[in-house]
């Protein structure tokens, strides 16, 4: 798999305050970008990450699509989050074990990860993986998106995440690059 060597050598991740910094990935590690995007904003960030890392990319698609209407989606998301619903997903990643570093992208819905991402994290064992969260939002920042991601993959190493307003997602490639170099 092609990777930009200068970027690989520059990227290091902060795990937690109690953990020393370590390389996010090296040339022998395989990168996967997994994301859910309702409006396209999280997809834009996932595509920026894919371009910069040359990792593989996989869009999470729920079996039953969310409504096209924003307010209807907001209401449905609220109900699902309150009831801890894990929507059925259309596709699976059969070769997840092959990946060492997994970027997880979600919109911030009601201060947490979108239910399709919760399904993905609940159904897949990411123990021993390096997990790198990122999220888009409409004013709520990261809220609990990164801590909820970490909670659903407790035996993974969690990197410092990236957060951006959805309205800035398509033009955030430079911000994403700086984040990757920073972590």
């Amino acid at each position: 798999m092609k990777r930009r060597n200068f970027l690989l050598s520059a990227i290091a991740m902060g795990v937690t305050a109690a953990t020393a910094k370590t390389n996010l990935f090296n040339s022998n590690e395989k990168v996967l970008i997994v994301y859910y995007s309702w409006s396209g904003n999280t997809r834009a960030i996932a595509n920026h990450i894919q371009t910069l890392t040359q990792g593989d990319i996989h869009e999470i698609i729920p079996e039953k699509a969310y409504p096209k209407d924003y307010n209807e989606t907001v209401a449905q998301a609220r109900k699902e989050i309150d009831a801890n619903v894990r929507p059925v997903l259309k596709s699976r990643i059969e070769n997840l074990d092959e990946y060492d570093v997994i970027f997880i992208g979600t919109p911030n819905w009601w201060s947490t990860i979108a239910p399709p991402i919760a399904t993905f994290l609940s159904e897949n064992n990411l123990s021993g993986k390096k997990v790198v969260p990122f999220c888009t939002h409409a004013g709520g920042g990261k809220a609990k998106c990164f801590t909820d991601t970490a909670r659903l993959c407790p035996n993974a190493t969690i990197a410092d995440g990236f957060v951006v307003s959805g309205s800035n997602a398509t033009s955030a490639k430079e911000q994403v690059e700086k984040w990757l170099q920073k972590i």
Side-chain angles (χ1 to χ4, degrees), residues 1-11 26-27 52:
M1 172 182 296
K2 295 180 189 175
R3 292 197 176 82
R4 291 181 171 189
N5 289 335
F6 76 91
L7 183 59
L8 293 177
S9 62
I11 297 177
N26 62 51
S27 60
L52 293 165

Side-chain angles (χ1 to χ4, degrees), residues 60-74:
I60 299 291
I61 300 172
E63 211 169 76
K64 182 180 176 198
Y66 285 88
K68 292 188 186 297
D69 179 78
Y70 175 80
N71 291 326
E72 290 176 29
T73 297
V74 167

Side-chain angles (χ1 to χ4, degrees), residues 58-122:
H58 178 83
E59 182 175 9
I60 299 291
I61 300 172
E63 211 169 76
K64 182 180 176 198
Y66 285 88
K68 292 188 186 297
D69 179 78
Y70 175 80
N71 291 326
E72 290 176 29
T73 297
V74 167
Q76 180 177 331
R78 179 61 181 220
K79 288 177 187 173
E80 289 179 354
I81 290 165
D82 287 348
N84 202 31
V85 169
R86 299 289 189 255
V88 176
L89 304 179
K90 273 189 178 181
S91 63
R92 304 271 181 257
I93 302 170
E94 300 300 328
N95 61 339
L96 194 59
D97 288 345
E98 294 178 15
Y99 295 95
D100 306 292
V101 178
I102 303 175
F103 288 82
I104 304 288
T106 184
N108 172 347
W109 281 4
W110 294 101
S111 298
T112 189
I113 58 179
I117 290 296
T119 298
F120 173 80
L121 293 173
S122 297

Side-chain angles (χ1 to χ4, degrees), residues 10-25 130 157-160 179-183:
I11 297 177
M13 94 177 178
V15 181
T16 65
T19 310
K21 291 200 176 226
T22 182
N23 285 336
L24 179 57
F25 52 85
K130 296 170 187 173
T157 301
I158 308 297
D160 291 336
W179 164 64
L180 290 173
Q181 291 171 349
K182 179 183 171 193
I183 63 167

Side-chain angles (χ1 to χ4, degrees), residues 35 37 40-50 134 136 166 168-171 173 176:
Y35 69 95
S37 187
N41 294 330
T42 307
R43 178 182 301 111
I45 299 302
N47 287 331
H48 294 324
I49 295 168
Q50 194 283 324
F134 62 98
T136 58
N168 295 324
T170 57
S171 61
K173 187 174 180 182
V176 170

